[in-house]
Amino acid sequence: MLEDKLKFVFNKFDHFSEFLSYEELASGHINDTYLIETAKKTSYVLQRINHEVFRDVSGLISNKVYVSNHLQKKLAHLPKKELKRRVLCFVNTKKGDSYYRDKEGNYWNMMIYIDNSKTFETVTNEEVAYEGGKLFGDFLNLTSDFDISKLTEVIPKFHDMSFRYSQFEDALKIASEERLNKAKTCIKQVEHLKEEMHIIQRLKESGEIKLRVTHNDTKISNALFDLNNKGLCVIDTDTVMPGIVHYDFGDAIRTICNTAAEDEKNLELVNFNLAYYKAYVKGFLKEIGSSLSSIELQYLPLGAKTMIFIMAIRFLTDYLNGDIYYKTAYPEHNLVRAKNQLKLIESLSEQIKEMEINALNK
Ligand code: GN1
Ligand code: MG
């Protein structure tokens, strides 16, 4: 039984609590995440890391711990109680390791749950967009002096456009007739955008856009808020790696400015919300703006478009491959996600002039 298993794994970790109950936190697409309630006030988040996706789990967990330690140092001036709400705190096993490996070969890690907090799957007011911008901007700011060489590249070429595009082309070769047919319109849309979607990749390769420490999964549900909608903490640091600012900016915009969830089927409900974009930019630049170069600033809007495109082709590729990567709830889930992202790109493109950073600052 899952409950027995979770209780067993939970007790491998170094805490002084008694397992009371669990609840699955089902918003992620890769790992299995559970909230563990205990007989005491403190609750925990216990996670089974998907080691098919993350090949170097020990590297992944040390990345997470390094980053938390770094953030804790940077925020050491805060009162202890607040610091605990601003940075993830990982729990070691009773043997002193940062993860537990069970008999079946699964890897587990655990952190303290930050209580009186909430996350958003979709955003419904500008304040949350603004606070999200501040939170992710601050994360980049606080990690800007982190030593990149300490980080394991947990998924090589994670946001590399040429790589993602070639995976898409490989999938086209092996997909079933039925899936190719159902995805026909999406495939055409993707091919049409190909050139434009490689612009940022080239600037990255030429060194005009520089590498920094980035989170790489800045969807809004990875931002934790307090009960008054003030930003608290960035969570899910699984994919912290060297990257470019555009994709952290872009993934937040992808999820904040979509007027619907990323898997909404009714595409009429999927539109790009420019007001939320402006609010996000304001918060984001407040924290990190002064350290961005003019070329980084100039390409932020295209960065947002490109990040949405990366997600669209990743969902589409997985659909064509027969759903082997993302968790899906029904057979066409990945296709729905891809169509949704492409519709978002269409709506964003109509407003891209108004997204220019210079235009916003006037
Ligand atoms: C995956 O598992 P989760 O939800 O944290 C994916 C991200 C995608 C996201 C889409 C390792 O993240 O890249 O943006 O789904 N993570 C990985 O919602 O592939
Ligand atoms: Mg993630």
Side-chain angles (χ1 to χ4, degrees):
M1 233 175 87
L2 181 59
E3 179 160 336
D4 295 334
K5 172 83 190 182
L6 292 176
K7 196 170 173 177
F8 175 82
V9 175
F10 177 68
N11 285 330
K12 293 289 172 194
F13 285 86
D14 196 13
H15 53 75
F16 301 94
S17 325
E18 194 187 319
F19 181 103
L20 211 58
S21 61
Y22 78 93
E23 183 192 322
E24 180 167 10
L25 303 173
S27 113
H29 295 3
I30 308 288
N31 298 326
D32 297 331
T33 310
Y34 305 92
L35 174 66
I36 309 290
E37 306 269 5
T38 70
K40 291 193 186 152
K41 241 180 75 196
T42 310
S43 301
Y44 296 85
V45 176
L46 182 62
Q47 228 177 7
R48 189 183 70 83
I49 308 286
N50 180 332
H51 58 274
E52 296 290 327
V53 166
F54 295 109
R55 294 295 175 152
D56 179 359
V57 180
S58 122
L60 171 138
I61 294 173
S62 41
N63 279 0
K64 285 159 81 101
V65 173
Y66 276 143
V67 169
S68 271
N69 289 346
H70 180 83
L71 295 176
Q72 261 156 16
K73 271 190 214 135
K74 300 285 289 207
L75 297 174
H77 56 279
L78 295 176
K80 246 198 170 140
K81 215 172 143 196
E82 200 189 331
L83 185 61
K84 281 188 177 162
R85 298 177 65 68
R86 296 285 311 279
V87 185
L88 293 177
C89 179
F90 293 93
V91 182
N92 276 346
T93 65
K94 286 175 179 152
K95 287 188 174 161
D97 301 321
S98 50
Y99 61 89
Y100 169 69
R101 188 146 191 226
D102 67 19
K103 275 205 206 91
E104 292 81 36
N106 292 307
Y107 294 82
W108 298 82
N109 85 320
M110 195 163 90
M111 65 212 105
I112 297 175
Y113 176 70
I114 299 173
D115 61 1
N116 290 319
S117 67
K118 58 179 172 180
T119 53
F120 295 91
E121 291 296 323
T122 51
V123 170
T124 48
N125 67 67
E126 285 174 33
E127 188 198 353
V128 170
Y130 172 75
E131 284 291 320
K134 272 181 42 183
L135 207 53
F136 287 128
D138 191 39
F139 182 87
L140 288 178
N141 196 21
L142 292 170
T143 53
S144 62
D145 59 345
F146 184 85
D147 178 4
I148 288 194
S149 69
K150 271 185 160 178
L151 290 177
T152 303
E153 200 179 4
V154 283
I155 303 184
K157 301 190 178 176
F158 191 52
H159 289 330
D160 182 299
M161 180 56 88
S162 312
F163 173 63
R164 292 302 183 189
Y165 206 88
S166 73
Q167 285 187 317
F168 161 67
E169 287 176 325
D170 290 346
L172 286 178
K173 289 180 206 144
I174 59 154
S176 70
E177 273 307 312
E178 190 202 340
R179 288 197 178 218
L180 280 173
N181 225 353
K182 286 200 169 137
K184 208 156 76 191
T185 319
C186 283
I187 296 170
K188 277 208 185 106
Q189 284 170 290
V190 163
E191 288 170 347
H192 179 72
L193 285 160
K194 180 180 176 186
E195 278 312 305
E196 186 191 11
M197 295 297 97
H198 280 76
I199 294 175
I200 290 194
Q201 171 81 22
R202 284 194 281 274
L203 291 168
K204 184 173 135 187
E205 280 166 7
S206 69
E208 282 163 273
I209 293 179
K210 71 164 194 169
L211 286 181
R212 45 173 84 236
V213 176
T214 48
H215 180 282
N216 296 304
D217 192 11
T218 50
K219 54 182 176 185
I220 189 62
S221 57
N222 280 337
L224 208 60
F225 292 83
D226 73 10
L227 301 181
N228 298 317
N229 292 350
K230 294 283 173 238
L232 274 179
C233 173
V234 170
I235 58 172
D236 185 9
T237 43
D238 288 357
T239 48
V240 170
M241 282 181 282
I244 57 173
V245 62
H246 300 84
Y247 295 148
D248 271 10
F249 177 80
D251 209 27
I253 295 301
R254 177 180 80 80
T255 47
I256 289 172
C257 300
N258 192 340
T259 50
E262 75 179 8
D263 60 354
E264 171 60 54
K265 289 180 191 156
N266 180 355
L267 297 185
E268 278 176 29
L269 302 179
V270 176
N271 287 300
F272 186 81
N273 186 319
L274 188 64
Y276 293 176
Y277 172 84
K278 291 181 181 170
Y280 183 87
V281 169
K282 199 167 158 199
F284 188 74
L285 295 185
K286 182 167 188 275
E287 301 297 337
I288 183 87
S290 60
S291 56
L292 298 183
S293 67
S294 61
I295 192 156
E296 282 177 319
L297 287 168
Q298 181 192 340
Y299 281 95
L300 287 178
L302 185 61
K305 185 170 176 179
T306 309
M307 188 63 223
I308 305 170
F309 183 79
I310 288 181
M311 287 313 306
I313 59 169
R314 287 182 62 198
F315 289 140
L316 184 58
T317 301
D318 199 33
Y319 175 71
L320 295 171
N321 282 336
D323 307 320
I324 54 174
Y325 185 86
Y326 290 113
K327 288 184 187 176
T328 51
Y330 54 91
E332 289 185 15
H333 204 163
N334 274 318
L335 182 61
V336 164
R337 288 168 174 150
K339 285 184 178 166
N340 176 306
Q341 300 296 291
L342 289 165
K343 168 64 201 292
L344 185 63
I345 291 187
E346 206 180 292
S347 174
L348 173 154
S349 301
E350 287 162 11
Q351 306 178 69
I352 200 147
K353 275 263 156 285
E354 289 153 273
M355 288 168 62
E356 281 174 20
I357 304 298
N358 283 340
L360 295 182
N361 283 339
K362 267 176 204 157

